[in-house]
Amino acid sequence: SQKIEQNSEALNIQEGKTATLTCNYTNYSPAYLQWYRQDPGRGPVFLLLIRENEKEKRKERLKVTFDTTLKQSLFHITASQPADSATYLCALDIGGYNKLIFGAGTRLAVHP
Amino acid sequence: DVKVTQSSRYLVKRTGEKVFLECVQDMDHENMFWYRQDPGLGLRLIYFSYDVKMKEKGDIPEGYSVSREKKERFSLILESASTNQTSMYLCASRGTGRNNEQFFGPGTRLTVL
């Protein structure tokens, strides 16, 4: 069956360290992959988009990689801050109807 | 500032009631979506629409229907609310084209008693 896996356990890190979140997928060949941030009780907010022909994308302290051979995307936050604490969702665009398939998300907690 | 708005942030209804959740976007997007989000299950797509009066079933359409009479408005209807429909409901819109991000509303937390 079609599946997107994100680590269901919360990731706890110390302020200033780099947080790395993983998104693995099976049975898809997405051309585009997106990452979103969601705060408690709110809707997700778009962060970054990466295409299949792009190995890496950066935006300020954020970096996303996309390995279509491994069927994996990594999401990095460098110099993490307590304000980065949230749930991060990956989403695959597999084509058709402009629809995204979302992972369940990984909760990140950055401690002072 | 672009926006997706939902009619209520919190809603409490009784079993068997008909429930309407309204969503409005101001970005002239063709595509609109309704999801529900439950702990551990992530975002599950209920229905989506790619044009006025057009609708497609998502992964969990049972017990729900939708209406899109105008481009900016997409309504989710629970014909006869049940307790297992207690959830956070999120509306989203997206422009056509794979470079486009999806914009979400703030969510409606629905409790069915």
Side-chain angles (χ1 to χ4, degrees), chain A:
Chain A
S1 63
Q2 301 167 331
K3 212 169 176 183
I4 302 171
E5 288 184 350
Q6 294 186 257
N7 196 338
S8 59
E9 292 184 15
L11 179 63
N12 290 283
I13 65 166
Q14 208 68 28
E15 182 176 7
K17 301 291 185 185
T18 296
T20 298
L21 286 71
T22 304
C23 175
N24 294 301
Y25 57 93
T26 58
N27 296 349
Y28 290 114
S29 295
Y32 292 71
L33 188 145
Q34 302 187 12
W35 282 88
Y36 288 76
R37 169 185 171 138
Q38 186 175 22
D39 292 290
R42 296 179 175 269
V45 174
F46 171 79
L47 294 174
L48 279 169
L49 178 152
I50 188 165
R51 300 173 187 81
E52 63 178 344
N53 60 352
E54 297 175 319
K55 295 292 183 194
E56 183 180 296
K57 200 82 168 280
R58 291 175 185 262
K59 179 182 175 183
E60 298 172 352
R61 293 183 297 111
L62 309 180
K63 184 178 88 171
V64 171
T65 63
F66 191 12
D67 189 326
T68 55
T69 302
L70 289 178
K71 293 186 180 291
Q72 181 181 79
S73 176
L74 298 178
F75 177 81
H76 307 272
I77 306 176
T78 58
S80 60
Q81 304 164 1
D84 295 325
S85 299
T87 296
Y88 292 86
L89 308 169
C90 71
L92 273 56
D93 185 338
I94 59 172
Y97 289 125
N98 294 281
K99 195 173 63 167
L100 295 174
I101 311 295
F102 283 86
T106 298
R107 189 163 57 87
L108 171 67
V110 181
H111 302 283

Side-chain angles (χ1 to χ4, degrees), chain B residues 47-59:
Chain B
Y47 266 98
F48 62 100
S49 169
Y50 54 91
D51 201 353
V52 176
K53 297 193 186 295
M54 305 304 289
K55 60 186 179 185
E56 292 287 336
K57 293 180 180 178
D59 300 317

